[in-house]
Amino acid sequence: MSLFTEKELREAASYVHQYVASTPTIRWPLLDRATGLSLYVKHENHTRLGAFKIRGGLTFCRYLKNSIGVSRGIISATRGNHGQSLAHAASQSGLSATIIVPRGNSVEKNAAMRAWGAEVIEHGDDFQDAAEYAGQYAAAEDLVMVPPFHPELVRGVASYGLELFDAVRKLDRIYVPIGMGSGICSLITVRDALGLDTDIIGVVATGADAVLQSFRAGKVITTPTANTFADGVACRSPDPAAFAIIKDGASDIVAVSDDQIREAMRLYFSSCHTLAEGAGAVSLAAAIADHERNIGKKTAVILSGANIDRTDYARILNGDTQ
C-alpha cells in the first residue's frame, strides 16, 4: 500500500512547484553511446538548491506550520543537502533553522546553508554523531527536531517521481541513491500510488553499505563506519521507517565503489556537460555496473545533486583517486 494516494501526492507537488520548477528528464546521445544503454537522466541537480531535497523541506515546514502550529525554530543534522532544504524552507515559513554538521563537512555546503539564514554548528565525526547532538541541542533550546526521514519529507520529494513517471512512460527500472531514504521511498510511494510495476533499485557506496546489509538480512543493520567521499550516501544507521518501505518496495539494492562513482561523475561531465556530486553519480555508476541486465531496457537514473566543493571536483575531473 502506498504511503500517500495519487491525489495527496499531486496536491503536494502543486505546492512544491510554487517554489521549485519541474526538473528535466533527458536522454543524452553521448551518454547512451558511452554506456551502450538507453538511459533517462532525471536532473535533480537543476533545482535552485542543486539537489532534490529542496522539495521535502517545503512540505515538512508547511506541515509544521499548518498541522502543529509551530512558531519556534527547527533543528536537524545533515551532510548538506537536507540542511539546505530546511534552511530554505524555514526562510519561506518564518522559522529559524539550526543545522548540525559533522566536523570537516563540505565548506561550500555549509556556506550555502548559512546563506539561506541557518545557524550551522559543527559537531562529531560523522552524520550519526551530528544527529545525536542535534537531538540534545533541540531539547536544551526548545527547538523542533526535524528527522532525516518523515512522511511529509517523502510527500514533498515525491514530486520529482511524479515528474519522472509523467515524462517517461513504461520505465523498466530506476536507479536511485540511498542516504537516509527519502529519495528512494518517494519513488516507491509514487510508483505504488500510480499502480506501476517499474523496478526501483537503490544504490549505496561499498564503504557505506548499511542499507545493503540490512536489505540482505531483512532487518536494520548498523555499521561502525560509513567510508565514502559521496557524503549524501554516507549512512551507517538506516532509519527503521524508511527501511520498512525499502525492504518491501525495492527490487534490489546494489553497491558501487568510490572509483566507480568518480568515473560516473567524469562521464556526466564529458557526455552531458552536467555537474554531479558523489551521491548524485552513484545511480549512473550502478546502471553501468549492471550493464548486462540493462541492455534493451528503458532505464532512468536519478542525478540527485550537484553540490560538491570546487577543489574536490577539480581533482576528480583530473583523474585523482583520493
Side-chain angles (χ1 to χ4, degrees):
M1 179 180 293
S2 179
L3 194 60
F4 294 101
T5 66
E6 180 181 355
K7 181 179 179 181
E8 289 170 330
L9 293 173
R10 292 199 181 276
E11 186 282 326
S14 178
Y15 175 72
V16 168
H17 289 152
Q18 295 178 38
Y19 302 91
V20 183
S22 297
T23 59
T25 299
I26 302 175
R27 186 172 172 188
W28 296 92
L30 282 176
L31 187 62
D32 282 2
R33 184 178 299 178
T35 61
L37 301 172
S38 300
L39 297 177
Y40 295 82
V41 181
K42 177 57 170 166
H43 280 277
E44 287 299 280
N45 59 327
H46 286 188
T47 73
R48 66 190 300 183
L49 298 189
F52 77 99
K53 291 281 191 179
I54 185 174
R55 302 167 181 270
L58 288 164
T59 49
F60 187 85
C61 284
R62 180 181 68 161
Y63 158 78
L64 286 183
K65 294 283 285 188
N66 293 345
S67 300
I68 304 177
V70 170
S71 59
R72 62 190 190 278
I74 60 174
I75 184 171
S76 193
T78 187
R79 290 300 300 266
N81 291 335
H82 175 64
Q84 287 190 71
S85 169
L86 293 176
H88 168 263
S91 72
Q92 303 297 322
S93 301
L95 300 170
S96 66
T98 302
I99 307 297
I100 312 299
V101 302
R103 288 185 292 269
N105 197 55
S106 164
V107 173
E108 293 178 21
K109 286 183 179 180
N110 289 353
M113 287 183 277
R114 291 187 174 105
W116 284 109
E119 179 184 6
V120 177
I121 299 171
E122 295 188 51
H123 181 89
D125 295 324
D126 60 16
F127 170 80
Q128 198 64 32
D129 288 345
E132 291 171 3
Y133 180 72
Q136 298 167 10
Y137 196 98
E141 300 296 328
D142 193 29
L143 300 174
V144 176
M145 178 67 183
V146 182
F149 184 86
H150 186 279
E152 281 299 325
L153 292 172
V154 172
R155 190 179 178 207
V157 170
S159 56
Y160 90 79
L162 287 171
E163 293 168 16
L164 174 59
F165 284 117
D166 286 347
V168 186
R169 303 292 181 175
K170 297 182 178 180
L171 280 168
D172 291 305
R173 55 174 50 105
I174 304 171
Y175 289 83
V176 56
I178 303 180
M180 294 308 295
S182 64
I184 186 171
C185 290
S186 72
L187 280 178
I188 291 170
T189 297
V190 173
R191 179 200 62 190
D192 293 351
L194 297 179
L196 303 175
D197 59 3
T198 303
D199 288 335
I200 295 176
I201 301 168
V203 189
V204 301
T206 54
D209 66 346
V211 178
L212 173 58
Q213 291 190 38
S214 301
F215 190 74
R216 289 175 175 172
K219 61 181 181 180
V220 171
I221 301 293
T222 297
T223 57
T225 59
N227 294 322
T228 176
F229 82 97
D231 54 11
V233 295
C235 167
R236 64 178 175 89
S237 185
D239 181 272
F243 176 69
I245 296 171
I246 294 167
K247 181 170 66 72
D248 292 339
S251 299
D252 199 4
I253 307 295
V254 298
V256 291
S257 70
D258 279 9
D259 283 345
Q260 289 173 301
I261 298 169
R262 292 186 187 97
E263 182 56 34
M265 294 169 69
R266 289 189 284 266
L267 183 57
Y268 266 134
F269 185 82
S270 61
S271 296
C272 315
H273 296 290
T274 198
L275 172 61
E277 62 183 273
V282 299
S283 300
L284 176 59
I288 294 170
D290 277 352
H291 183 271
E292 293 303 314
R293 68 170 174 169
N294 287 325
I295 293 176
K297 301 294 185 180
K298 187 183 286 188
T299 301
V301 292
I302 308 302
L303 202 176
S304 58
N307 296 317
I308 182 171
D309 287 359
R310 182 176 62 177
T311 54
D312 293 336
Y313 189 58
R315 286 196 296 267
I316 290 169
L317 288 184
N318 287 330
D320 292 357
T321 59
Q322 299 296 326

